[in-house]
C-alpha cells in the first residue's frame, strides 16, 4: 500500500530568488541583528518593524527549498509519494506583465524537480492570477502537458475579488475541461482586529489555527453561493485542512440559504445544488485536521473515498531539538488509524485515493 | 421524557421599549416607506440607508416579544420547557450609568414571565457589562436569588476588549462561585470585508452561517489561550451553535499551540489545560448545528452528556406561509434522531441533560 502526501509545500530556487529580490511582504531577508539566518515573511502583519527580526515570520532553512530534505522527510515518515505544491502566497503579488513568465519558470522548475525523483514526486502547478485571463488559461493548458503536474494550487483571492467572481469562469472552464484538480489553500486569514488586543501573546496560533480554516470556509461558501458548481458540474476541488470548517458548518450553511428571505425573494436558481451534493461529488478533503473528531466529520461529509492524507511539510516542525519524527505528522497518522481502526478505508485515505484521483500510477 | 429548549430568545417589553427609543444600531423602528411593520435592526452593517427599509434587519412581530407565541411554538414542537434568554445584542451598548438599572429591570421582567408559566419557563439573565465591575458582580449575585434564573447569556465582547481580558476575572470568579452557567452567544460576526464585494447577493447567509460560529470559535479560543479555565477550573460555559466550529478545529488549535515558537519561548503555563480537557470538563454545547455530521462531531468532542437541544426561536422561521412546523427546528430534531438511532442518548440531549445541568426539576 503506498502512502501519499498531497499537502506538502516547496519553495523552488526560482521562487526563493524572486522572494529575495523583494522588500515588502512576501519576501526573504537576512536581517542585520541576526546575520546567521534568513527569515521568510509571508503573512500580512508578520512584518512589524517595531519587533525584533527573530519574531518576524519564520526562519527559512533548507527544508523549505532543498528537495533532498523533502525526500529525507518522506523516508523518515514512510511516505512513498508526494504531490508537492508551491507554498503560499504563490504569485498573486506580481505585476500583470511579469506573472505569466514567472509562473512558467516556476512550474517548469517544479516539474523538473519531480523528474529527478521519478515515481516519488508529482506536483500541483501555480497560476499567474494577476495576468490577463488568456495568459492564465494558456498556463492551465500548458500545465496539462507537463508530465508530473496533476492540477493547480489556488489561493482564495482569485483575480482579486474572490472566488465568487464571474470573471473566473474561463479559468474554471479550462480547469474542468483539462480535468485538473484545484488544491484550494488559504493564505490571508482574517483581519487582525478579530483576534483582539492580546493576540500577539499567542504567537501565530489564532491566525494559523482559526484564520486559515475560516478563510477556506468563506472562500468555498462563496463559490457555492455564487453557483460555480451549478455552472461547472465537473469542477473538482481539494480543500486544504479538511475543508477549513465546511464539514462542520455545511448543515448551518444549507439551513441559512433555505431560510434567507433575500435569497428567496431574489429567486433561487432552478439548478441550485445543495452543499451536501457538492461535498460528495466535487469536493475532496485533505486529512490535515489533527484530530479523530475532525477526521470523522470530514469522512461523514464527503466520504472516506474522497479524503487524502497530507502533512503540511515544511510547516509545523517539532520545536524540540533532536526530534526526528514530526508530532504534527503523527497527529494526522494517529487520527486516521483510530478513526478507521486501520481497516481498508485507512489505506484509501493514506494513499489509494490519491493514486486513483491523481493518476499517480501513470 | 421532557424536551427542553435551551437556545430560545425573547425581547421582553422593557427591552423592546428601550430599543424603540434608539436611533442607532441596535434599534426597532417603523419606517415611513413600510408603515405596517416594524423592523428590528441589530447587526452591524444591517442599517444601510441606501437600501429600502424592507431589506434592513428583519421584520419584528409578536413572536419576538409575546410570550404566548413562544408557548404556542413550544406546544407546536412538543417542547416541554424552555430556558429563555434575552436576544442579542443584550446591553453592551448602554452607557455605564444606565446599564445596571436596565439589567435589573429586564432580568426582573424575564423572571416574572417565567413565573407566569411556572414549570415551563426558566431563563438566563443578562449582565450590565458596560457598568463598573462591582455593578456586574452585584447583578450576578442578585440573579442567583431570582427563582427561575439558571445562568447568564454573554456576548463575545466582554468589557469591550474580548473574553481574554484579565479585567473579567472578578466576573468569572462570581459566576464560578455562584455556580451559574454562561451561555456564550455570538452577535458581531466578522468584519464585512471578509465576505467580498458580492456578499449582499447572498442576503444574511454569510454573516449568519459563518460569521456567527466563527466569532464564537475565536472568543472561546481566546479564553482558552489566556488561561481562563486554568484559573477558574469550575467555570462552566454553554457554547451556542455547537461551539461555533470548536469541535472540528480543536485538534488544529491544540497542534498550533504545541508548535508555536513564540508561545514556547514565552514559557507555557505549568497548569495549561488542553482544549480537549476543557471541552470534556467545562464546556457544554447546544445541538443547534442542523446536521448529523456536525452533531456527531459535537458529541465526539464533549460527550453526549454535555449536549443540549435548542431551536434558536424566534429566528429562522419558515419562509413559506401557512407552514406551522419549523424546518429549522426539525433539522435539529432529525440530526439528533439519526445520530443516536433514537437511543437513550437522544433523550439525554433532548431534555435529560438540561434538567440535570440546569436543575429544572427544582
Amino acid at each position: 500500500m503506498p502512502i501519499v502526501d498531497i499537502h506538502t509545500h516547496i519553495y523552488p530556487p526560482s521562487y526563493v530568488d524572486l522572494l529575495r529580490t523583494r522588500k515588502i511582504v512576501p519576501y526573504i531577508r537576512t536581517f542585520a541583528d541576526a546575520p546567521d539566518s534568513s527569515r521568510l515573511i509571508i503573512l500580512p502583519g508578520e512584518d512589524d518593524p517595531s519587533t525584533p527580526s527573530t519574531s518576524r515570520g519564520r526562519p527559512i532553512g533548507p527544508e523549505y527549498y532543498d528537495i533532498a530534505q523533502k525526500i529525507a522527510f518522506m523516508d523518515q515518515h514512510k511516505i512513498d509519494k508526494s504531490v508537492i505544491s508551491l507554498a503560499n502566497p504563490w504569485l498573486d503579488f506580481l505585476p500583470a506583465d511579469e506573472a505569466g513568465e514567472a509562473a512558467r519558470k516556476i512550474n517548469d522548475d517544479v516539474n523538473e524537480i519531480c523528474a529527478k525523483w521519478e515515481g516519488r514526486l508529482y506536483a500541483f502547478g501555480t497560476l499567474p492570477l494577476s495576468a490577463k485571463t488568456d495568459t492564465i488559461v494558456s498556463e492551465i493548458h500548458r500545465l496539462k502537458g507537463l508530465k508530473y503536474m496533476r492540477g493547480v494550487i489556488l489561493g482564495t483571492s482569485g483575480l482579486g475579488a474572490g472566488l465568487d467572481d464571474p470573471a473566473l469562469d474561463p479559468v474554471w472552464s479550462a480547469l474542468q475541461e483539462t480535468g485538473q484538480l484545484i488544491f484550494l489553500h488559504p493564505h490571508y486569514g482574517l483581519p487582525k482586529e478579530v483576534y483582539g488586543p492580546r493576540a500577539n501573546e499567542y504567537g501565530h496560533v489564532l491566525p494559523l489555527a482559526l484564520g486559515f480554516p475560516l478563510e477556506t470556509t468563506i472562500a468555498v461558501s462563496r463559490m457555492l453561493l455564487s453557483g460555480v458548481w451549478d455552472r461547472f458540474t465537473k469542477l473538482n476541488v481539494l480543500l486544504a485542512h479538511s475543508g477549513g470548517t465546511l464539514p462542520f458548518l455545511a448543515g448551518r450553511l444549507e439551513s441559512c440559504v433555505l431560510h434567507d428571505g433575500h435569497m428567496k425573494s431574489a429567486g433561487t436558481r432552478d439548478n441550485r445544488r445543495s452543499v451536501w451534493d457538492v461535498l460528495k461529488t466535487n469536493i475532496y478533503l485533505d486529512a490535515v485536521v489533527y484530530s479523530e473528531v475532525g477526521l470523522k466529520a470530514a469522512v461523514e461529509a464527503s466520504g472516506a473515498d474522497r479524503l487524502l492524507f497530507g502533512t503540511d511539510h515544511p510547516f509545523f516542525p517539532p520545536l524540540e531539538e533532536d526530534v526526528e519524527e514530526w508530532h504534527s505528522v503523527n497527529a494526522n497518522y494517529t487520527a486516521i488509524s483510530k478513526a478507521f481502526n486501520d481497516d481498508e478505508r485507512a489505506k484509501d485515505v493514506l494513499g489509494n485515493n490519491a493514486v486513483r484521483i491523481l493518476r499517480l500510477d501513470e
Side-chain angles (χ1 to χ4, degrees), chain A:
Chain A
M1 174 204 74
I3 294 184
V4 182
D5 180 1
I6 53 78
H7 189 153
T8 176
H9 301 296
I10 181 84
Y11 290 81
S14 44
Y15 194 45
V16 169
D17 291 346
L18 175 66
L19 293 175
R20 282 197 190 279
T21 65
R22 292 174 51 84
K23 301 291 179 205
I24 55 169
V25 173
Y27 65 83
I28 295 171
R29 193 178 308 170
T30 308
F31 293 93
D33 63 350
D36 294 337
S37 83
S38 292
R39 309 286 300 183
L40 170 68
I41 320 277
I42 49 174
L43 296 177
E46 275 192 342
D47 187 30
D48 182 348
S50 69
T51 60
S53 68
T54 49
S55 75
R56 290 187 235 174
R58 56 202 57 65
I60 176 168
E63 69 277 16
Y64 283 74
Y65 47 78
D66 180 357
I67 198 68
Q69 298 234 357
K70 178 81 74 189
I71 299 291
F73 166 84
M74 291 166 62
D75 291 341
Q76 172 72 43
H77 294 89
K78 302 186 169 45
I79 294 164
D80 299 292
K81 297 170 190 282
S82 287
V83 186
I84 58 178
S85 50
L86 196 69
N88 51 317
W90 314 291
L91 304 175
D92 302 3
F93 55 86
L94 286 178
D97 59 345
E98 296 176 20
E101 190 183 330
R104 285 190 292 275
K105 171 130 190 51
I106 287 171
N107 286 331
D108 285 343
D109 278 5
V110 170
N111 194 57
E112 277 174 33
I113 289 170
C114 295
K116 287 186 190 145
W117 296 91
E118 172 108 49
R120 296 208 71 187
L121 296 184
Y122 297 83
F124 295 117
T126 306
L127 297 181
L129 290 174
S130 57
K132 289 182 182 167
T133 308
D134 57 1
T135 306
I136 306 170
V137 169
S138 293
E139 188 62 11
I140 292 170
H141 286 283
R142 203 183 72 87
L143 281 168
K144 181 69 183 171
L146 295 185
K147 184 170 178 186
Y148 303 97
M149 290 291 171
R150 290 297 185 271
V152 297
I153 188 165
L154 198 71
T156 64
S157 59
L159 306 177
L163 301 185
D164 52 356
D165 182 355
L168 276 165
D169 276 7
V171 175
W172 305 136
S173 177
L175 289 164
Q176 176 176 267
E177 185 190 325
T178 57
Q180 291 186 86
L181 183 68
I182 298 166
F183 181 23
L184 180 59
H185 194 292
H187 167 68
Y188 294 98
L190 296 173
K192 204 175 173 182
E193 67 264 28
V194 304
Y195 305 123
R198 294 166 59 94
N200 284 343
E201 296 178 26
Y202 319 132
H204 293 210
V205 172
L206 289 170
L208 287 179
L210 308 185
F212 262 36
L214 306 190
E215 178 190 356
T216 305
T217 313
I218 293 170
V220 67
S221 298
R222 288 168 61 182
M223 291 177 75
L224 284 157
L225 291 172
S226 65
V228 168
W229 280 291
D230 305 337
R231 299 195 296 285
F232 301 97
T233 56
K234 293 183 176 169
L235 186 71
N236 291 322
V237 175
L238 166 65
L239 298 179
H241 315 117
S242 295
T245 65
L246 186 66
F248 191 77
L249 289 181
R252 184 172 173 89
L253 182 61
E254 189 67 16
S255 181
C256 282
V257 170
L258 297 175
H259 288 90
D260 193 77
H262 175 84
M263 287 196 79
K264 182 176 155 78
S265 62
T268 307
R269 293 182 301 276
D270 287 341
N271 64 342
R272 188 186 85 86
R273 297 174 59 200
S274 77
V275 181
W276 300 110
D277 177 20
V278 175
L279 263 166
K280 290 183 189 298
T281 314
N282 300 86
I283 287 178
Y284 299 100
L285 304 173
D286 75 24
V288 183
V289 67
Y290 307 99
S291 80
E292 196 184 342
V293 177
L295 194 81
K296 283 182 176 172
V299 173
E300 292 258 345
S302 73
D305 57 337
R306 309 183 69 78
L307 202 65
L308 297 93
F309 175 72
T311 64
D312 220 348
H313 182 265
F315 300 104
F316 305 110
L319 294 181
E320 308 85 352
E321 291 188 13
D322 305 323
V323 169
E324 299 219 324
E325 286 209 2
W326 289 32
H327 309 310
S328 58
V329 176
N330 286 343
N332 286 314
Y333 267 135
T334 302
I336 293 168
S337 170
K338 283 192 182 173
F340 298 115
N341 288 315
D342 290 319
D343 69 10
E344 281 302 314
R345 293 173 303 166
K347 293 179 187 171
D348 291 345
V349 172
L350 287 171
N352 291 339
N353 289 342
V355 171
R356 182 187 81 247
I357 294 161
L358 295 170
R359 300 169 284 104
L360 303 189
D361 42 7
E362 291 179 13

